[in-house]
Amino acid sequence: GAGVSQSPRYKVAKRGQDVALRCDPISGHVSLFWYQQALGQGPEFLTYFQNEAQLDKSGLPSDRFFAERPEGSVSTLKIQRTQQEDSAVYLCASSRRLNTEAFFGQGTRLTVV
Amino acid sequence: GESVGLHLPTLSVQEGDNSIINCAYSNSASDYFIWYKQESGKGPQFIIDIRSNMDKRQGQRVTVLLNKTVKHLSLQIAATQPGDSAVYFCAENGQTGANNLFFGTGTRLTVIP
């Protein structure tokens, strides 16, 4: 596709449920980022991949959060045992390489009830 | 009109006027900056970027100014249109070679027809 694609667009999870959020970056983009955006706030960094290597996961809030990009293209952000404070929009972005124009997807709005 | 700071101020301008959105970034080591536009329910949309070796960069109807001495970034939008109404975020990379972008809280721009 022409842009970054994320699925699902909306996800409602019961507290304690595991969820998986998918990101399809722009073809050929080496760098892939995950961000978390709370209502009324700017995006906050979660993790960064360069191809299949996860080079920075300093923003992941707890060990319940896990991300992977096994073939250097599609990435999945997994949240285990979801809690209400996990409710947010999860954004994925990709760029040709680090410190170049980063394009964002539409995001996945996660609501934990 | 203009707005200062990163505390989600609101800026209202008349259609056709010029808009100036300001941002005070935090890290003197940041060497890459991006302005993003985010409409309700959508992911951030890249507007323009600038590197620290430049003071000014122009795009279509937009200009970004960088003042490294006072760590200040501004986005100027010429002939503001209703479609420009959105939240605008500045983002900095925090340090040379950093793996992520640090976003401010944003400024909500409302264009009055």
Side-chain angles (χ1 to χ4, degrees):
Chain A
V4 178
S5 178
Q6 292 187 245
S7 61
R9 285 281 283 123
Y10 304 93
K11 176 68 179 177
V12 178
K14 291 184 178 179
R15 190 169 48 187
Q17 184 180 352
D18 297 349
V19 298
L21 312 180
R22 177 187 170 106
C23 172
D24 283 84
I26 294 172
S27 178
H29 279 196
V30 168
S31 299
L32 184 145
F33 308 82
W34 283 99
Y35 284 82
Q36 179 189 61
Q37 187 174 27
L39 188 64
Q41 302 293 318
E44 293 199 1
F45 172 79
L46 293 176
T47 187
Y48 162 72
F49 289 85
Q50 181 174 302
N51 295 307
E52 70 278 4
Q54 188 175 20
L55 299 186
D56 189 340
K57 53 182 180 180
S58 61
L60 296 177
S62 77
D63 58 8
R64 296 186 295 104
F65 287 70
F66 172 77
E68 59 183 6
R69 192 186 186 196
E71 298 180 356
S73 178
V74 172
S75 178
T76 304
L77 176 66
K78 298 179 179 178
I79 309 173
Q80 298 176 323
R81 305 181 301 282
T82 52
Q83 301 177 6
Q84 285 189 323
E85 59 262 33
D86 299 335
S87 295
V89 175
Y90 291 85
L91 294 163
C92 176
S94 71
S95 63
R96 287 191 183 280
R97 58 185 186 279
L98 193 59
N99 284 343
T100 61
E101 188 174 337
F103 297 90
F104 281 81
Q106 297 272 51
T108 294
R109 180 177 297 279
L110 172 66
T111 303
V112 181
V113 297
Chain B
E2 69 179 271
S3 177
V4 177
L6 294 174
H7 306 291
L8 199 55
T10 299
L11 173 63
S12 295
V13 299
Q14 289 291 139
E15 181 178 358
D17 286 354
N18 297 334
S19 302
I20 301 175
I21 301 172
N22 294 294
C23 172
Y25 65 91
S26 59
N27 194 327
S28 57
S30 294
D31 62 359
Y32 182 59
F33 307 87
I34 306 179
W35 279 100
Y36 283 95
K37 170 187 179 183
Q38 189 172 28
E39 297 173 278
S40 181
K42 297 185 178 180
Q45 176 188 350
F46 175 92
I47 301 173
I48 192 167
D49 60 359
I50 189 168
R51 300 189 185 277
S52 59
N53 60 352
M54 302 174 69
D55 297 321
K56 179 180 179 179
R57 191 163 187 226
Q58 288 184 294
Q60 186 177 12
R61 283 202 305 121
V62 295
T63 301
V64 55
L65 298 177
L66 174 62
N67 185 331
K68 295 180 288 293
T69 302
V70 294
K71 294 191 290 185
H72 184 268
L73 197 67
S74 69
L75 177 70
Q76 300 177 3
I77 305 174
T80 314
Q81 302 169 0
D84 295 328
S85 294
V87 177
Y88 288 80
F89 294 99
C90 68
E92 58 179 306
N93 69 342
Q95 63 187 49
T96 301
N99 296 321
N100 64 74
L101 292 171
F102 295 94
F103 285 77
T105 306
T107 296
R108 180 174 299 282
L109 174 66
T110 301
V111 181
I112 303 166

